[in-house]
Amino acid sequence: MKQLLNGTFTGRTSVPGDKSITHRALMLGALSQGTTHIKSPLISADTLRTFDNMRQLGAEVTRQGDDFTVVSKGHDHLKSPSDTIYTGNSGTTTRLITGLLAGLKTITASVEGDATIAKRPMDRVVIPLSEMGADITLKDSKYPPVNIQPAQLKPLEYKMPIASAQVKSAILFAGLFTSGETIVHETHQSRNHSELMMAQFGADITVNENTVTLKGGKDLSSSNVTVPGDISSAAFLIVLALITKGSDITIENVSLNETRSGIIDVVKMCGGDITITEHDSKGEPFGDIRVRYTEQLKPFHIDGEIIPRLIDEIPILAVLGVFADGDSTVRGAEELRFKETDRITAVVNELSKFGVNFEEYEDGFKIMPGYGKVKAGEMFKSYHDHRIIMMLIVMAIAAETHIQIDDQSAIDVSFPSFINDLERLRKDR
Ligand SMILES: O=C(O)C1=C[C@@H](OP(=O)(O)O)[C@@H](O)[C@H](O)C1
Ligand SMILES: C=C(OP(=O)(O)O)C(=O)O
């Protein structure tokens, strides 16, 4: 930590591949007949769980340096796993694989993760999947382990009670090989990687405003996927550059998918110095993001439609709020309470240790600009949450304060090279 302080951050860099796209490419590769090459996937604790899980179902999944390959005979050749499907810390794997397994209709499986997964609600996916006819049981009707038994499914028309790409995707995975139209209506559009990639692999799927319609029953054929950089990882470098004097970072080949790029809108709202150069792409949009230190940043106010477009970036946006010249607010983000930890409580508790003032709401917070001194001997908590740890490191760098975090290992969940990348970008002032 100490070696990262008192510097500026400059230069060109890239961030690891998009986590959401990597999970989906592994899953759709396993469900499709043929060979799927996945170029520059995220190789991290979470995506390696999906990698192993697809192998357990009988797909041939291998790694060649920075790439993955999935070879499969197609969905009807996948089999029940002989052991528990272990999903580690990954909510995306746990929820999407539940839909995928139910959709195969012949599988007996038990899905379980680590201590944080054991506390994450699964009824949000099991309720609609049960309406489709799936036979799934949960601990206390809510939590993992998820036990799945073979059952025939029927299509479903479902109005989403919350904005969640994981719930939407679990339903779509279950609908892929279920004849008839599975329809999902969203109030605010959540990330659309499943829809885009299912179409690419040959599914009959259409999107009309906030409604997705999937005509199930078609076999899928393999396809190649190039994974752009993860904007949720880039977010830490974006905020670091904006608030650290003299910084100027260009992050190459980052996903610019509209359903994920809410943070760019917020940086613009704040008057931050950000330039986007989009590249030509046949698939997911991507490009370079250049961010420079900005002396005066305006506060931001976010709520409603933008929230799912930046849900994982809210912890690091709180740090941006500390350096703005007025109070910023986050509302409509109650979903943060159901992530790896309750991220509203974690943000408020840990940034308060820097002397930051908050007003906490059930669905967000107001954050006041400025900070004070960290108490001698103060220990910061990781909550075993990658995004909370990286938020704390960026805050400590900007405040030029050495801090101690009880455990930094969860960074490996999404951005294993984070500390090395910061060291490489750091220059003495
Ligand atoms: O579908 C996905 O890949 C994800 C969806 C979001 O979760 P919710 O669906 O719970 O909002 C997000 O927070 C998570 O990091 C990844
Ligand atoms: C919430 C996250 O992931 P997951 O739900 O897959 O654990 C995240 O990456 O911030």
Side-chain angles (χ1 to χ4, degrees):
M1 165 90 256
K2 267 196 185 119
Q3 73 281 11
L4 292 172
L5 302 181
N6 307 315
T8 63
F9 293 83
T10 57
R12 296 183 79 83
T13 191
S14 55
V15 286
D18 187 272
K19 178 155 76 68
S20 296
I21 295 177
T22 303
H23 285 305
R24 286 155 173 84
L26 287 163
M27 291 183 186
L28 287 168
L31 293 172
S32 311
Q33 197 185 345
T35 301
T36 293
H37 292 293
I38 309 174
K39 205 172 147 24
S40 50
L42 171 66
I43 302 178
S44 76
D46 268 22
T47 54
L48 289 173
R49 295 289 69 73
T50 303
F51 180 104
D52 288 344
N53 300 157
M54 293 305 109
R55 277 185 167 177
Q56 282 179 277
L57 300 181
E60 207 182 289
V61 193
T62 52
R63 175 176 169 182
Q64 301 76 35
D66 292 338
D67 297 341
F68 292 155
T69 300
V70 187
V71 181
S72 174
K73 292 194 178 117
H75 69 96
D76 43 9
H77 290 265
L78 298 180
K79 56 176 190 350
S80 296
S82 46
D83 295 314
T84 299
I85 299 253
Y86 180 68
T87 57
N89 190 250
S90 177
T92 309
T93 311
T94 313
R95 297 205 177 106
L96 268 55
I97 211 172
T98 298
L100 182 154
L101 293 170
L104 293 175
K105 304 178 185 76
T106 53
I107 301 286
T108 302
S110 179
V111 180
E112 200 168 0
D114 68 8
T116 75
I117 288 294
K119 291 193 224 137
R120 294 182 69 180
M122 289 296 296
D123 52 338
R124 52 179 56 201
V125 292
V126 171
I127 290 168
L129 293 175
S130 302
E131 278 183 45
M132 294 176 85
D135 181 350
I136 307 177
T137 51
L138 294 170
K139 180 170 166 257
D140 300 333
S141 308
K142 201 169 171 81
Y143 299 108
V146 184
N147 288 306
I148 299 154
Q149 292 291 328
Q152 281 311 308
L153 301 195
K154 53 182 191 310
L156 173 71
E157 178 160 4
Y158 192 66
K159 190 170 178 320
M160 296 273 297
I162 47 170
S164 164
Q166 294 177 0
V167 175
K168 172 176 63 177
S169 300
I171 297 168
L172 294 175
F173 271 100
L176 276 174
F177 311 110
T178 301
S179 42
E181 283 191 352
T182 291
I183 302 170
V184 183
H185 303 283
E186 296 188 281
T187 312
H188 298 310
Q189 195 185 13
S190 61
R191 64 192 66 192
N192 63 359
H193 307 299
S194 297
E195 296 89 305
L196 294 175
M197 210 184 291
M198 284 176 180
Q200 187 191 331
F201 279 70
D204 188 347
I205 187 165
T206 49
V207 181
N208 190 353
E209 292 185 356
N210 289 352
T211 297
V212 187
T213 304
L214 168 67
K215 285 200 187 104
K218 250 183 103 181
D219 286 345
L220 301 183
S221 42
S222 56
S223 186
N224 294 332
V225 177
T226 300
V227 183
D230 197 325
I231 195 164
S232 299
S233 298
F236 297 98
L237 304 181
I238 292 173
V239 172
L240 177 70
L242 284 173
I243 62 177
T244 320
K245 271 205 183 81
S247 290
D248 181 351
I249 303 178
T250 299
I251 315 157
E252 297 173 335
N253 301 329
V254 182
S255 165
L256 297 173
N257 180 317
E258 275 274 322
T259 63
R260 296 286 300 283
S261 59
I263 182 168
I264 296 176
D265 300 357
V266 173
V267 172
K268 289 181 178 164
M269 229 184 262
C270 296
D273 186 343
I274 188 166
T275 314
I276 312 294
T277 311
E278 194 165 340
H279 298 314
D280 283 339
S281 158
K282 283 192 227 88
E284 291 262 355
F286 70 98
D288 299 344
I289 302 180
R290 180 178 185 184
V291 192
R292 284 182 272 196
Y293 171 67
T294 307
E295 193 161 356
Q296 243 193 338
L297 289 162
K298 288 186 279 225
F300 60 87
H301 303 282
I302 52 175
D303 190 1
E305 163 290 321
I306 198 170
I307 297 296
R309 298 177 53 231
L310 46 64
I311 187 73
D312 293 341
E313 288 67 81
I314 291 173
I316 190 63
L317 284 175
V319 175
L320 185 62
V322 174
F323 291 84
D325 62 7
D327 297 352
S328 297
T329 50
V330 176
R331 301 304 302 251
E334 54 273 49
E335 272 300 304
L336 288 177
R337 298 204 182 270
F338 305 102
K339 301 295 177 188
E340 280 80 335
T341 187
D342 173 343
R343 286 184 176 160
I344 295 178
T345 303
V347 164
V348 171
N349 285 355
E350 298 315 298
L351 291 184
S352 295
K353 294 179 183 169
F354 283 95
V356 177
N357 290 313
F358 283 92
E359 204 169 296
E360 182 177 339
Y361 312 120
E362 193 45 40
D363 65 345
F365 47 80
K366 180 200 277 185
I367 181 160
M368 292 145 222
Y371 57 94
K373 260 198 155 27
V374 173
K375 270 199 263 145
E378 184 82 84
M379 182 60 80
F380 286 76
K381 267 182 77 174
S382 76
Y383 301 84
H384 210 72
D385 184 333
H386 51 136
R387 305 214 189 271
I388 297 300
I389 302 166
M390 292 188 276
M391 168 198 82
L392 285 173
I393 292 173
V394 171
M395 179 65 206
I397 293 171
E400 300 190 345
T401 306
H402 171 69
I403 62 165
Q404 273 182 290
I405 305 173
D406 59 1
D407 178 10
Q408 285 187 201
S409 61
I411 293 178
D412 287 350
V413 158
S414 64
F415 198 166
S417 61
F418 182 62
I419 300 288
N420 280 343
D421 290 353
L422 290 181
E423 285 175 353
R424 205 167 28 75
L425 291 166
R426 186 191 168 282
K427 315 279 175 326
D428 283 330
R429 240 189 236 133

